[in-house]
Amino acid sequence: MIRIVIADDHAIVREGLKRIVIEAGDMEVAGEAANGSEVMQQVRDLAFDVLVLDLSMPGRSGMEMIRLVRAEKPKLRILVLSMHQELQYVVRVIKSGASGYLTKESARRNWSRPFARSPVAVPSSRPRWPSNWPWAPCRAAKHRCTRACRTANSRC
């Protein structure tokens, strides 16, 4: 059973996510948080597998929350759930240390995908970049890789 903490400042979103988790069957909600300080309290107090984190919560920014959570529990998987669909947000979130990214628009239909990619059924630490994007972050984190770079350079 995958234990999840849901962090979103909107109660209705948290309730909707809880329903999705219950429907998934192999997951349970271990806790909830409505702001950054509650997130950190849950991280310190609870044993769970995945933090589902809203990128835009009151108090600390989502990027800052990712860094704080990583400092507290480096191996905890963080799945960012956001209203932002722009690629720049995905890149910034992954570079900040998140394990995965879902838009709120696609969360219901794509919920189980991030959990199916690793042996322990939690979001992958190396996301798969859609093939229709012209570039992806370099695995060596030195530059943006084009398809030609990734083909010619084994580091990328």
Side-chain angles (χ1 to χ4, degrees):
M1 178 86 46
I2 300 170
R3 294 178 45 84
I4 298 172
V5 168
I6 299 171
D8 195 292
D9 55 322
H10 296 98
I12 195 161
V13 173
R14 291 193 310 271
E15 288 300 318
L17 288 173
K18 281 198 287 191
R19 291 186 69 172
I20 292 171
V21 168
I22 290 167
E23 288 173 10
D26 58 345
M27 302 175 204
E28 69 177 349
V29 176
E32 297 180 39
N35 58 51
S37 57
E38 288 181 15
V39 169
M40 293 312 296
Q41 192 66 44
Q42 298 286 6
V43 167
R44 290 181 188 112
D45 294 348
L46 297 176
F48 60 99
D49 305 302
V50 180
L51 172 63
V52 178
L53 179 67
D54 180 17
L55 193 58
S56 305
M57 288 199 321
R60 295 190 157 106
S61 74
M63 306 302 173
E64 185 179 357
M65 286 305 309
I66 293 168
R67 288 186 196 101
L68 289 171
V69 170
R70 279 278 168 249
E72 192 79 26
K73 286 192 178 173
K75 296 193 185 279
L76 180 66
R77 302 294 187 160
I78 302 170
L79 176 62
V80 171
L81 187 65
S82 177
M83 66 180 180
H84 303 289
Q85 297 182 12
E86 295 83 10
L87 180 61
Q88 66 190 8
Y89 288 101
V90 179
V91 172
R92 287 177 52 205
V93 162
I94 299 301
K95 284 185 175 183
S96 292
S99 307
Y101 189 98
L102 277 177
T103 62
K104 288 182 178 178
E105 187 69 30
S106 70
R108 184 164 184 82
R109 71 177 174 275
N110 294 319
W111 181 254
S112 62
R113 286 185 187 170
F115 298 94
R117 287 198 178 129
S118 83
V120 290
V122 293
S124 171
S125 60
R126 183 172 288 169
R128 298 183 188 274
W129 296 91
S131 58
N132 61 343
W133 287 357
W135 64 272
C138 176
R139 289 186 188 132
K142 294 181 179 174
H143 63 279
R144 289 183 177 185
C145 292
T146 63
R147 299 219 184 286
C149 174
R150 280 184 279 166
T151 307
N153 190 340
S154 62
R155 290 188 347 249
C156 299

